[in-house]
Amino acid sequence: MKEKDITQKVLEDNNDIFADIVNVLLFDGKPEVEENELVNTTVHSQYKAEDGKVHEQERDIAKYWKRGGTDIVLYGIENQTKVEKRMPARISGYEGASYRGQCDKKTIMPVITMVLYYGTDRKWTAPKNLKSLIKVPDNLDKYVNDTKANVFEIAWLTDEQIAKFTSDYKIVANFFVNKRKNKDYIPDDKTTIKHVDEILKFLSVMTGDNRYQEILSDKEGVSNMCDVAQRLEDRGIEKGIKEGLSLGGNQMIYSLVEDKSISMEKGAQKLGISVEKLRANMINAGYKCPDME
C-alpha cells in the first residue's frame, strides 16, 4: 500500500497533471487552472487525539492555486484504491487544519479536497458527508457542521470526460475505465506519454503487473500505450519461449513460428539450428511454415 501511495503522489504531483485533474473534474474541462499557477505546500499537520497524544496526519498532495500573488484556493488530492468508510472524517481533519493555519491571515481562502477513487470492482459505497457518519441527537442537526467528500470514481468516468483531459492523466483514466469493463484489457491508447517513467511505475504498482516496471529498463521507443502493449506481448512471448525450452518444448517454438508470433530466423536462433533445419523439423512434426503459404 505504501508503494501505491508513493507512485500515485509522484505522478499526480506534476503540475500539468494536477491542473488537468482539477480542470476536468471541477471545471468540466475548462482550462481555469494553469500549471504555472500551482505551488506545493506542506502535506503534514498535527492533531490531539482523545488519548491526549499529539498525532501527525498527512495529505497525499496539497497545492495552492495562486494568481497574481494572491492565494485563490488550496487544493488537496487524496487517493483511494479501496472504499474508506470514514473518509469525510479524515477530510474534516485535513481541511480543519488548513483553515486553522489561516486564522492570522487577512483573508481566508477556501480548501477543496478531491478524492480520486481507483477501485474497479465496485463503485464508492461509503458515506460522502460527515453527518452520515454521526448519530446526531434530536433537534441538534442544524448546529452540527458538515463536511463533504468530493469522490471521483475514475473507473466510471464517461468517454466525454476522458476526452477533456489533455495530460497523461487521460491515459490513466482511460486505462482504469477499460480495466473495469474488461479485466484482460490490453492497452490500446495512442495518446503520447509525456511522463513515461511515472506512468509505467504507476501502472505496475496499481495492477500488480511487474512487466510495466520492467519496461523501464528499455523504455526508449515507448511513446504511447500501444508501444507498452507490444512490449508486454514481446515479454510474454519471450517468457513462454524460455519456459518451453526449459521443458524441452520444441513444439512451442514451432507454434510461435507457425502463427507468426516470431520469425523463422528467431525460432531457429532459439533452438540453435539453421532455418532450413527448423523448416524440416516443423514439416516432419506436422506444422506449417509461414513461407509455405
Side-chain angles (χ1 to χ4, degrees):
M1 187 61 69
K2 185 69 174 178
E3 192 175 2
K4 283 185 179 180
D5 289 342
I6 293 173
T7 57
Q8 290 166 344
K9 294 174 187 178
V10 169
L11 176 65
E12 296 160 0
D13 196 44
N14 289 286
N15 277 358
D16 61 323
I17 291 179
F18 193 101
D20 199 25
I21 291 172
V22 172
N23 286 333
V24 173
L25 299 184
L26 300 189
F27 295 108
D28 195 30
K30 297 178 181 178
E32 295 286 346
V33 180
E34 297 181 10
E35 58 180 288
N36 59 7
E37 296 176 331
L38 293 169
V39 179
N40 283 50
T41 185
T42 180
V43 294
H44 297 94
S45 58
Q46 290 75 38
Y47 67 94
K48 192 172 184 179
E50 291 184 356
D51 59 8
K53 296 180 180 180
V54 176
H55 299 265
E56 184 173 80
Q57 58 185 2
E58 180 182 352
R59 274 186 173 278
D60 285 345
I61 309 173
K63 291 179 184 282
Y64 287 117
W65 177 23
K66 294 174 174 282
R67 180 169 292 171
T70 301
D71 294 336
I72 302 175
V73 175
L74 173 59
Y75 288 116
I77 284 182
E78 298 302 318
N79 294 298
Q80 288 293 131
T81 55
K82 296 182 179 179
V83 175
E84 172 57 61
K85 180 180 178 181
R86 299 186 182 276
M87 198 71 211
R90 282 177 51 191
I91 292 173
S92 181
Y94 297 145
E95 295 185 351
S98 296
Y99 284 121
R100 179 65 183 84
Q102 298 183 67
C103 285
D104 294 333
K105 293 185 178 181
K106 184 177 181 180
T107 303
I108 296 179
M109 65 178 166
V111 181
I112 297 175
T113 301
M114 305 169 64
V115 179
L116 305 184
Y117 172 57
Y118 290 102
T120 56
D121 294 330
R122 60 170 176 162
K123 299 190 77 172
W124 187 274
T125 54
K128 294 183 180 180
N129 69 306
L130 186 59
K131 280 189 175 182
S132 297
L133 298 174
I134 303 172
K135 186 176 181 180
V136 182
D138 294 340
N139 303 320
L140 291 179
D141 183 76
K142 64 181 179 180
Y143 300 109
V144 178
N145 293 324
D146 205 2
T147 298
K148 179 183 178 183
N150 300 301
V151 178
F152 297 92
E153 299 161 315
I154 304 305
W156 277 268
L157 294 179
T158 65
D159 291 341
E160 290 74 21
Q161 287 175 302
I162 293 175
K164 292 174 182 177
F165 287 109
T166 58
S167 71
D168 283 353
Y169 202 75
K170 180 178 182 180
I171 299 166
V172 172
N174 187 58
F175 183 88
F176 278 91
V177 168
N178 281 286
K179 269 292 186 183
R180 171 180 64 82
K181 296 177 180 178
N182 177 14
K183 298 300 182 184
D184 299 321
Y185 167 68
I186 298 175
D188 59 356
D189 194 331
K190 296 182 179 179
T191 304
T192 300
I193 304 174
K194 178 181 178 182
H195 304 284
V196 176
D197 190 88
E198 291 94 325
I199 285 289
L200 292 179
K201 286 180 179 177
F202 179 86
L203 294 179
S204 178
V205 172
M206 295 296 286
T207 63
D209 190 339
N210 291 330
R211 291 179 301 167
Y212 289 102
Q213 182 90 12
E214 292 168 0
I215 292 175
L216 288 173
S217 62
D218 59 350
K219 67 180 179 180
E220 187 175 344
V222 173
S223 61
N224 56 48
M225 291 305 290
C226 289
D227 294 336
V228 172
Q230 184 60 55
R231 298 291 179 90
L232 293 178
E233 183 179 356
D234 291 345
R235 286 181 177 274
I237 291 173
E238 194 68 25
K239 181 180 179 181
I241 290 174
K242 290 179 180 179
E243 291 176 349
L245 290 178
S246 67
L247 297 174
N250 289 2
Q251 288 79 10
M252 176 170 287
I253 299 295
Y254 299 162
S255 295
L256 291 171
V257 172
E258 184 179 51
D259 64 16
K260 300 181 181 180
S261 293
I262 62 174
S263 66
M264 290 282 291
E265 290 74 14
K266 187 170 184 178
Q269 180 184 13
K270 292 294 180 183
L271 293 174
I273 59 178
S274 66
V275 171
E276 290 73 19
K277 180 64 174 176
L278 173 60
R279 183 182 295 107
N281 289 350
M282 287 181 64
I283 294 172
N284 290 334
Y287 289 86
K288 187 176 182 180
C289 299
D291 57 6
M292 294 170 58
E293 298 177 352

